[in-house]
Amino acid sequence: MNSSLNRRAADADVCLLLEGTFPFVRGGVSSWVNEMIRAYPETRFGIVFIGSREEDYSGAAYALPDNVVHFEAHYLYESAPADARPPREVNGDAAAFARSAQFHEALRDARSHADIGKMMTELIPMLGTDGALSEAQFLHSREAWRFIEEQYTRHCTDPSFTDYFWTVRIMHKPLWQLARVAAKTLPARVYHTVSTGYAGYLGALMHYRTGRPLIVSEHGIYTKERKIDLLQSRWIRDNRGLFERDVSNVSYFRELWVRFFEALGALAYGAAQQITALYEGNRLRQVADGARPELTCTIPNGIDVEGLRPLLALRSPERPRRVVALIGRVVPIKDIKTFIRAIFIATRTMPDIEGWIVGPEEEDPTYARECRALAQSLGLDANVRFLGFQRISDVLPKVDLVALSSISEALPLVVLEGFAAGVPAITTDVGACRELIDGFSADDRALGSAGAVVPIANPGAFSQAALTLLGDDTLWQAAQRAGLERVQRYYAKHQMIDRYRTIYEQAAGLPDADAGAGPGDAGARCPFHHERADVAPRRLSFRSR
C-alpha cells in the first residue's frame, strides 16, 4: 500500500465506507468525498475502502486530507493464500441453517418484513470463524449442501445444478470477507456509506454490531447500475437452448445476481437511520426498492459557485460562439459516439463548429480508439478534438456549450460548474438533468431554461439544439442568465455541506441509550425530507468523547 495511506487510529468521528471510489479512482463520487472530508476539518474521518483486486488500482489519485485519521483497504477478489490443511467435512448446525433459510425468505419480500434487522443481529455472531454459519461451514458442511440443493429444487429454473452451486458459492464469498472486516474495523460515532452494494452491506453489519447510526447516500442507484452491468455481461451463463430463449426474459443466473444486489440494498436501507439521494427521481427509486419514505431526503450536489465566478470574466465577448465541449470520461455510458455524430450533422449548417472531448481515455482504451476512429471516418479532423484530462478552469472560459450525451447520470457536477462559469448546457434526458436545465419547482422554472434537454442517443436532436443555441445570441444569453441564477440559488456548496452537517450532528448526538434505536424511531426522521432550502452556515463539532 502507498505509504501515504498508512494511517491508523483507535476510533473516528465518521467512518466512510467506500466501494471502488476515493482515493484510487477519479470521478464525481470521489471528488464529492474529497470535498466532504475537507469541508469538516475538525471532524476525524476514518475510511474503509472496498475494491476488486489491488492490482486494479494503480495508486492514489487523491491525497488523503489531514483529518483522515484512519485508512484501510480490502479487496474482495484477491486470491486467498493456499491452506495446507485439507477441507474437513462436518455435519453442520441444522438449526442455524434453518434460521439462515428463514432470513433468505424474508429478504425475498424485504419491504414487508419488519424483523430483518432483528434476524440479522442474531445471525452476525454465527458468521465468525467459529460460528455455526462460518465460511468453513458453508463450504464443507452437509447442512450447507442440503440447503443449496433444496434452494435449487425450489427456485432455480436453469437445468444446471453445477452452475447454480458455483454461482451461489461465488456470490456469497465476499459476505464472509466483509464480516471479518466488520469484526476488526475501527469504532466510529457514525458510519456513512456512499452506496449500497458491498459497502452498504458492510455498513449494515457495522450498525448491527455496534448499535451506532448508519447513513446511506447514493449518487446513482447502485442496484440500477448493477442491473445494467449484469444484463450486458458475458460471463454469466445462459443454459437455455436456442429455441427456449425468450429475449423478453432474463436468464435465471442474471436474475439471481440482480436479486442478490437488491437484497444487499434492502439490508443497507433497513439498517440506515437516514438515506439521501441527489434528486427526487432517485429518492422515489429508493422507496420503491425498500427504503422507508420518512427516512429519505434529497440533498443535491453543490459546487463552489464563488470560486468559479472569476471564470465568467475570462470569456471573450468578441469570439464567435461555436465550441461545444463534452467534459467527462471517454466510456460507453457517456455515449461519446452520439456526441461525435451530432457534431458531424451540425457541420453541414455550421462548418466551423468545434466539438471538444475533454476527459481521460484510460478507463476503456478500446472504446476510446473506436471514438477516434469514428471521428476520423466522418472527416472531422478539423472539428473534433480529443484533449484528454484538463483542469475545468482552463476549459470553461473557452467553450460556449457544455454537452452531456450520457445514457445514465445522477446529478452531473459538470453541468453546474458550466452554469457557474456562464456556460449553458445541452443534456440528454437522464437523472436530474431536466431539473438542472428547466428547474424543479415553480420558482425555479420561472428562471427559464439554461440550455436544452434532448432524447438519449439522438444525434439529430442534439445537433439541432446546439445550432439553435449557438445561432441565437438572445436565446444563448437568456440560457446563461438562467444557469447562473439557478446554480447560485439552489446548488451552492455551502448548502450541501450544512445539510450533511445537520445529519452528522443529529446522528452522532444521539444519547448512548438510544444508539441502537431502529430506523423510524424518534429522532430518526431525515431533517430535509422533501425540502430544499437555504441553510445558514454552521461548524461541525463533535463534543469530546
Side-chain angles (χ1 to χ4, degrees):
M1 183 187 296
N2 189 317
S3 60
S4 65
L5 302 179
N6 289 331
R7 299 188 187 180
R8 294 292 184 269
D11 58 18
D13 297 319
V14 177
C15 181
L16 293 171
L17 310 174
L18 308 176
E19 182 178 333
T21 57
F22 183 90
F24 296 111
V25 178
R26 291 193 180 276
V29 175
S30 294
S31 176
W32 180 88
V33 170
N34 187 48
E35 290 182 358
M36 284 285 290
I37 295 171
R38 294 178 186 279
Y40 311 117
E42 297 180 352
T43 300
R44 300 166 64 251
F45 282 90
I47 292 177
V48 179
F49 173 86
I50 300 169
S52 50
R53 301 171 302 172
E54 187 171 7
E55 64 196 64
D56 294 334
Y57 305 93
S58 58
Y62 295 84
L64 293 185
D66 291 341
N67 56 329
V68 173
V69 298
H70 182 93
F71 179 87
E72 58 186 80
H74 303 275
Y75 302 97
L76 300 181
Y77 299 106
E78 296 277 45
S79 299
D83 193 337
R85 298 170 300 176
R88 184 171 63 88
E89 182 181 334
V90 293
N91 287 325
D93 188 323
F97 277 93
R99 192 60 173 157
S100 175
Q102 293 173 357
F103 183 63
H104 279 75
E105 287 302 313
L107 284 175
R108 290 178 179 275
D109 192 15
R111 283 168 287 185
S112 63
H113 201 288
D115 296 328
I116 285 181
K118 180 180 178 182
M119 295 172 72
M120 194 169 177
T121 303
E122 295 172 356
L123 290 174
I124 285 174
M126 301 184 194
L127 299 176
T129 304
D130 298 321
L133 294 175
S134 68
E135 186 174 13
Q137 290 284 331
F138 178 72
L139 294 177
H140 306 306
S141 73
R142 295 187 181 90
E143 285 299 328
W145 174 270
R146 279 194 283 268
F147 174 73
I148 294 174
E149 189 177 38
E150 190 241 343
Q151 293 293 306
Y152 170 79
T153 303
R154 288 183 59 191
H155 300 296
C156 187
T157 60
D158 190 282
S160 173
F161 175 74
T162 301
D163 285 344
Y164 179 83
F165 175 82
W166 287 107
T167 297
V168 169
R169 281 201 167 197
I170 292 168
M171 185 178 287
H172 283 74
K173 181 175 176 57
L175 304 187
W176 278 281
Q177 291 176 265
L178 292 171
R180 291 191 288 271
V181 172
K184 298 178 180 179
T185 292
L186 81 167
R189 301 185 72 183
V190 180
Y191 293 94
H192 186 179
T193 177
V194 189
S195 68
T196 57
Y198 295 117
Y201 173 73
L202 178 59
L205 288 175
M206 296 308 302
H207 167 73
Y208 291 121
R209 285 183 66 90
T210 67
R212 296 308 305 166
L214 173 67
I215 299 166
V216 175
S217 295
E218 291 191 275
H219 286 235
I221 299 299
Y222 187 99
T223 52
K224 173 188 172 184
E225 294 171 354
R226 293 293 74 76
K227 185 178 293 187
I228 292 172
D229 292 342
L230 291 166
L231 293 177
Q232 296 176 340
S233 65
R234 297 180 180 179
W235 57 269
I236 299 177
R237 295 286 295 273
D238 184 350
N239 295 308
R240 294 175 295 179
L242 178 63
F243 296 106
E244 296 175 304
R245 297 186 184 184
D246 181 348
V247 294
S248 65
N249 293 328
V250 178
S251 69
Y252 177 80
F253 291 120
R254 279 188 170 83
E255 183 184 359
L256 186 63
W257 275 105
V258 168
R259 290 204 309 269
F260 172 74
F261 285 113
E262 287 176 343
L264 294 188
L267 289 174
Y269 291 153
Q273 176 174 295
Q274 292 175 344
I275 303 164
T276 72
L278 289 184
Y279 66 102
E280 180 66 4
N282 270 4
R283 188 193 72 81
L284 294 175
R285 178 64 183 259
Q286 290 172 330
V287 172
D289 287 347
R292 295 179 60 172
E294 67 272 20
L295 304 182
T296 63
C297 59
T298 60
I299 302 181
N301 280 338
I303 64 165
D304 183 5
V305 176
E306 294 305 314
L308 291 167
R309 188 188 299 275
L311 301 184
L312 189 61
L314 299 179
R315 299 189 59 81
S316 171
E318 294 82 17
R319 183 177 54 81
R321 295 194 180 99
R322 64 184 182 189
V323 178
V324 186
L326 190 155
I327 305 173
R329 297 168 296 136
V330 181
V331 293
I333 202 168
K334 301 296 184 182
D335 197 5
I336 310 297
K337 294 179 182 179
T338 285
F339 174 70
I340 294 171
R341 292 186 178 104
I343 297 299
F344 171 69
I345 295 170
T347 58
R348 298 173 182 174
T349 303
M350 187 180 289
D352 61 346
I353 190 171
E354 293 184 22
W356 293 3
I357 298 170
V358 185
E361 302 179 30
E362 296 81 13
E363 186 171 334
D364 193 333
T366 300
Y367 182 75
R369 286 193 296 270
E370 291 174 359
C371 291
R372 286 178 173 270
L374 175 62
Q376 187 175 31
S377 70
L378 294 174
L380 295 175
D381 293 344
N383 299 92
V384 172
R385 299 171 60 188
F386 290 82
L387 301 181
F389 177 77
Q390 302 279 328
R391 291 189 305 175
I392 201 84
S393 58
D394 293 335
V395 174
L396 288 176
K398 303 173 185 176
V399 306
D400 306 299
L401 291 173
V402 165
L404 186 141
S405 52
S406 303
I407 61 175
S408 179
E409 286 281 354
L411 192 153
L413 286 175
V414 67
V415 173
L416 297 177
E417 290 167 338
F419 288 171
V423 186
I426 302 171
T427 75
T428 44
D429 196 0
V430 293
C433 288
R434 187 169 290 277
E435 291 183 14
L436 299 185
I437 300 296
D438 294 331
F440 68 91
S441 66
D443 288 345
D444 192 3
R445 288 191 292 272
L447 298 176
S449 175
V453 180
V454 300
I456 294 172
N458 191 325
F462 213 107
S463 171
Q464 186 56 56
L467 292 171
T468 299
L469 282 161
L470 295 175
D472 187 330
D473 279 351
T474 301
L475 184 63
W476 187 93
Q477 289 167 1
Q480 182 191 56
R481 288 193 298 270
L484 282 167
E485 182 64 26
R486 182 162 292 130
V487 74
Q488 291 167 1
R489 187 179 297 188
Y490 299 110
Y491 297 100
K493 185 192 294 186
H494 78 82
Q495 296 168 313
M496 176 189 74
I497 295 301
D498 283 299
R499 289 165 188 169
Y500 273 106
R501 177 182 288 112
T502 298
I503 287 178
Y504 280 157
E505 287 184 339
Q506 182 190 66
L510 290 175
D512 290 344
D514 296 335
D521 292 341
R525 180 179 295 275
C526 184
F528 303 106
H529 183 54
H530 298 317
E531 294 181 7
R532 291 190 188 179
D534 291 329
V535 182
R538 295 187 294 118
R539 301 189 72 182
L540 177 62
S541 175
F542 285 105
R543 294 171 180 81
S544 21
R545 294 172 292 281

